[in-house]
């Protein structure tokens, strides 16, 4: 009886991270359809992640589409198992959407466990070489037509907040189906400017970059070494409050294609997943595969991502309301 009592009183031996993951499957949920940038990066990470998670579980990528990724994000937060076997790559504007109380948000981005991203973005505002506009100051004096897909899209948001918060005079024309259509419009002379990421310019129009067909007058998000002389929109806001609003709008660029785990996952498994994700971003096989698709790997860590999101979610309500004008 005494021996049985001692055994009953003895603390249970905690299961190690390796023992937990051994023989398991980790599901990487992707909130959009196949073929896009989120899908490409989610599947790229999934192919190599199992190498670095203790216990070497199988890792599969699964698309869960609906509401632009909100359905998957809400599922991950509220329904998916909270044991470290479900993670997701979510839209980078969702934390800001939560801040401005956007429709459909059923999560608290502060309570997600952010794991990292393979890339950060450098957003750019570029003008066609024949417009005569070479700087932001020129764009404050000269009206230039900027092509965009529609309200709420970054191609609209970027020139819109530059007009409102910096003082440029872009005339925004919407209705283009995508970036390729806007590029064609620039070549035809229908529009003279557009927002695009620096990585996308170098992948889709490297000849324009090389030959000087476009002039980048402003950048936002991660400051790219190729654009050392180009000012950041985060410094160009006319007042401190304007700059704070721009910071909210640029959060998505810093997050890249963020990967996160739901709240409730044990801390030691979150640490293991973060370490694994950091190792994946340095994996030689992944880097070689990324090079074939011209995917630039500029990783951001989970802890850094957590700080960025917490900082932006602390934005005062009056400034959040101003940001909302550009996000919806």
């Amino acid at each position: 009886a005494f021996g049985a009592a001692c055994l009953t009183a003895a603390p249970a031996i905690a299961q190690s991270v390796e023992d937990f993951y051994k023989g398991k499957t980790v599901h990487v949920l992707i909130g959009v359809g196949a073929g896009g940038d989120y899908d490409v990066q989610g599947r790229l990470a999934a192919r190599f992640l199992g190498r670095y998670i203790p216990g070497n579980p199988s890792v599969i990528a699964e698309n869960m589409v609906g509401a632009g990724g909100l359905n998957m994000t809400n599922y991950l937060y509220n329904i998916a198992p909270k044991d470290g076997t479900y993670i997701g790559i979510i839209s980078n504007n969702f934390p800001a959407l939560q801040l401005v109380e956007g429709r459909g948000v059923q999560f608290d981005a502060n309570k997600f466990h952010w794991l990292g991203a393979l890339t950060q973005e450098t957003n750019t505002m570029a003008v066609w070489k024949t417009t005569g506009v070479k700087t932001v100051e020129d764009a404050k004096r000269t009206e230039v037509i900027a092509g965009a897909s529609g309200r709420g899209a970054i191609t609209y948001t970027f020139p819109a907040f530059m007009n409102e918060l910096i003082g440029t005079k872009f005339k925004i024309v919407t209705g283009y189906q995508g970036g390729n259509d806007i590029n064609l419009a620039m070549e035809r002379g229908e529009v003279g400017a557009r927002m695009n990421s620096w990585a996308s310019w170098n992948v889709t129009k490297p000849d324009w970059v090389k030959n000087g067909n476009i002039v980048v007058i402003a950048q936002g998000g991660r400051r790219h070494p190729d654009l050392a002389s180009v000012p950041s929109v985060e410094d160009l806001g006319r007042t401190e409050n304007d700059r704070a609003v721009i910071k909210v709008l640029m959060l998505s660029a810093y997050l890249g294609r963020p990967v996160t785990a739901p709240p409730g996952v044990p801390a030691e498994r979150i640490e293991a997943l973060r370490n694994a994700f950091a190792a994946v971003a340095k994996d030689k096989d992944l880097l070689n595969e990324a090079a074939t698709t011209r995917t630039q790997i500029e990783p951001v860590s989970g802890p850094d991502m957590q700080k960025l999101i917490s900082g932006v979610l602390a934005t005062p309500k009056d400034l959040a309301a101003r940001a909302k004008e550009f996000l919806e």
Side-chain angles (χ1 to χ4, degrees):
F2 175 77
C6 289
L7 289 173
T8 302
I13 299 174
Q15 186 182 30
S16 71
V17 173
E18 181 176 359
D19 287 341
F20 171 78
Y21 277 112
K22 193 172 296 182
K24 294 277 199 318
T25 297
V26 173
H27 302 260
V28 180
L29 303 182
I30 303 167
V32 293
D37 196 37
Y38 282 87
D39 183 67
V40 169
Q41 290 198 29
R43 292 180 181 278
L44 182 62
R47 281 196 287 278
F48 301 96
L49 194 59
R51 292 182 180 181
Y52 300 101
I53 298 175
N56 305 121
S58 300
V59 180
I60 60 172
E62 302 173 334
N63 297 89
M64 182 183 289
V65 301
L70 265 176
N71 287 355
M72 183 279 287
T73 305
N74 291 335
Y75 171 86
L76 183 67
Y77 187 87
N78 295 294
I79 301 172
K82 309 298 192 289
D83 59 0
T85 60
Y86 276 76
I87 62 178
I89 180 167
I90 76 167
S91 178
N92 57 20
N93 72 326
F94 283 174
L97 190 65
Q98 174 191 331
L99 172 70
V100 302
E101 300 178 349
R103 292 184 295 271
V105 172
Q106 298 172 17
F107 58 83
D108 183 349
N110 260 333
K111 294 181 180 179
F112 271 125
H113 297 293
W114 299 93
L115 305 181
L118 293 179
T119 63
Q120 298 179 71
E121 290 183 340
T122 301
N123 292 331
T124 66
M125 195 66 198
V127 295
W128 194 249
K129 60 184 178 181
T130 58
T131 62
V133 171
K134 298 184 183 300
T135 66
V136 170
E137 290 303 313
D138 291 339
K140 291 179 179 180
R141 294 187 292 265
T142 304
E143 181 181 270
V144 179
I145 297 175
S149 53
R151 289 188 65 91
I154 187 64
T155 50
Y156 179 93
T157 297
F158 206 95
F161 82 65
M162 285 191 68
N163 287 348
E164 180 72 20
L165 305 176
I166 296 173
T168 54
K169 294 183 177 181
F170 292 110
K171 180 181 179 181
I172 305 171
V173 175
T174 61
Y176 294 97
Q177 294 301 306
N180 288 336
D181 289 340
I182 303 175
N183 289 345
L184 287 172
M186 290 182 78
E187 288 183 305
R188 292 194 296 258
E190 295 174 11
V191 304
R194 70 159 296 196
M195 174 275 159
N196 196 11
S197 73
W198 184 239
S200 180
W201 281 128
N202 282 280
V203 170
T204 61
K205 291 293 183 182
D207 53 326
W208 286 12
V209 174
K210 181 180 179 181
N211 298 329
N213 290 10
I214 53 172
V215 180
V216 175
I217 63 170
Q219 62 179 309
R222 173 184 177 269
R223 300 190 187 204
H224 201 283
D226 292 348
L227 305 171
S229 62
V230 177
S232 169
V233 289
E234 294 163 72
D235 297 330
L236 294 174
R238 290 177 289 195
T239 68
E240 184 177 348
N241 283 347
D242 289 345
R243 292 188 288 275
V245 173
I246 294 172
K247 183 178 179 180
V248 171
L249 299 172
M250 286 295 96
L251 174 63
S252 60
Y254 287 106
L255 297 181
R257 302 293 181 259
V259 179
T260 190
V265 178
E268 64 274 12
R269 294 176 200 167
I270 292 299
E271 182 180 6
L273 289 170
R274 283 177 169 173
N275 291 340
F277 200 86
V280 161
K282 300 176 183 178
D283 185 282
K284 290 183 179 180
D285 292 332
L286 179 143
L287 294 174
N288 289 336
E289 188 169 332
T292 64
T293 59
R294 296 184 180 179
T295 300
Q296 295 184 350
I297 303 299
E298 301 284 351
V300 55
S301 74
D304 286 347
M305 195 175 283
Q306 203 96 36
K307 291 177 184 177
L308 285 168
I309 291 169
S310 295
V312 166
L313 289 180
T315 301
K317 288 188 176 181
D318 59 327
L319 300 182
R322 291 183 64 191
K324 186 174 184 177
E325 300 173 20
F326 304 103
L327 291 171
E328 294 189 334

